[in-house]
Amino acid sequence: MTTSPRPEALPETIHHWIGGERVPSADGRTFDVLDPVSNQPYAQAARGSADDIARAVTAAKNAFGVWSAYDNRRRAQVLNKIADAIEARHDRLARFESFDSGLPITQARGQARRAAENFRYFADVIVGLGEEAFRQGTEQISYVVRTPVGVAGLITPWNTPFMLESWKLAPALASGCTLVLKPAEWTPLSASLWTEIFAEAGLPAGAANIVHGIGEEAGQALVDHPDVPLLSFTGSTDTGRHILRSSAPDLKTVSMELGGKSPAVVFADADLDAALDSIVFGVFSLNGERCTAGSRVLVERGVYDDFTTRLAERAAHVRVGDPADPDTQVGALVHPEHYDRVMNYVKIGREEGRLLAGGARPDHLDRGNYLQPTVFADVSRDARIFQEEIFGPVVAVAPFDTEDEAVELANATPFGLAAYIWTSDLKRGHRLAHAVESGMVWINSHNVRDLRTPFGGVKASGVGREGGAHSIDFYSDSKIVHVALGDVHVPRFGAAR
Ligand code: NAD
């Protein structure tokens, strides 16, 4: 059987982290955690229920007074210590992430670095944060007081789990909220490291709590808990819709980072070599399990045949293999259920498009959730593989003739997360960037995000933004205080003339 080397110090049981302690579920239940190479259970994780969520919310409520009273600089010191503790575990973290999720080890290393940077960034943000004041001449001054919302409920997916958890943990803690995190059930391993990271950094007990478990059980209980006024969710559009509906009766504040089917638009005048490198990496890195993957490639007719052939050649040569091998470019898809789903799309794609590369497990890998990067050409806009998020190393390619048609095709799905535009005509690049319906656009550039910029999508890709000041706004309530500076002239209703 194909196996990946087990990282050292792999826990046999992954516990919840409630009130600063590792604890089992109240009812003692657990669930199997598989690695995606052997698809065999290698650990048990605590299976949280409504009781465990209630315990965690109580711990977070109890810690709120302490943590929210830290001034910004003191909170920033703890955030920087969290970043130090992440960096100190950088290697173990990357090995855990790669083993549990199937991400190639070299790409898992980047995720760990980015998570640490994110904590440092939010430490800087709150030290520099001011509150606004508005003066109306000599009559009145109004100023804003920012307060943390309370206990935040954070729900995260299995793709790049540790890094995506950091995207929510860092701004929630920076803002002074306490929190309960429900990590994805397919990839709980790296989240087990937060417990020692938080303890080492001196985060007060109960400020951050982690409850593992199944979405419909632990996740739903967190969504439904009346003392959790705010939910930050990253995951699929269907689950996002469900959570929005569930949280409507309590009018909770929600942020939704959802699915994508992002277009990469290539004009004939582009630097085609650079476009090819970026497109191949953008859709196949992270095993294609990337919300911002450019999974629809739209190519101007004049260069369509040539570009598509080159794309297919590159896909056929991508090195698929053991996630722990530093030469691996695409590892194993996260879970057998997800693998079946992706393989079903490949089957559908064989009827909807022209298969130019991949479409099957590589010959040298007899077990594990492996798929050779797959390219379908001549895909029509109503095809399912053009419309639906596959979330694996599969790309749909289609030609266009005019700029208008490129925009129309780019916008022809329910999603609107990211878009990539390749042209040497910068006026056209900007025109397209403004016309494409998406939260983020990269022109002649790669999917690199400055942490200060807003991240998120439109249409079925999300509600709200994460990143930078947007995150601090989300986790804070602003109150405006109006104060008279001089005599107040109020109309004297009912007074004698
Ligand atoms: P998912 O929706 O199945 O699960 C996400 C999380 O929600 C998991 O922790 C799960 O346990 C939980 N959950 C499921 N049902 C729930 C319920 N009823 N109540 C509360 N929680 C519940 O998504 P996934 O398959 O883990 O992740 C892949 C998806 O995430 C893709 O669609 C991808 O595009 C999206 N994603 C989006 C972004 C972004 O920033 N826009 C980033 C990464 C991933």
Side-chain angles (χ1 to χ4, degrees), residues 4-12 42 89-100 105 189-190 192-193 196 324:
S4 193
R6 277 174 169 252
E8 280 172 27
L10 206 57
E12 282 177 13
Y42 70 86
R89 286 163 182 75
H90 170 246
D91 193 56
R92 185 150 57 104
L93 174 52
R95 285 181 198 285
F96 272 22
E97 199 73 303
S98 171
F99 181 75
D100 194 29
I105 184 71
L189 180 60
S190 55
S192 68
L193 292 178
E196 49 185 75

Side-chain angles (χ1 to χ4, degrees), residues 64-86:
F64 183 70
V66 176
W67 180 244
S68 61
Y70 276 33
D71 66 31
N72 286 10
R73 188 169 289 281
R74 192 165 169 213
R75 277 209 296 272
Q77 281 165 351
V78 177
L79 262 60
N80 276 318
K81 283 188 189 153
I82 292 175
D84 294 342
I86 294 172

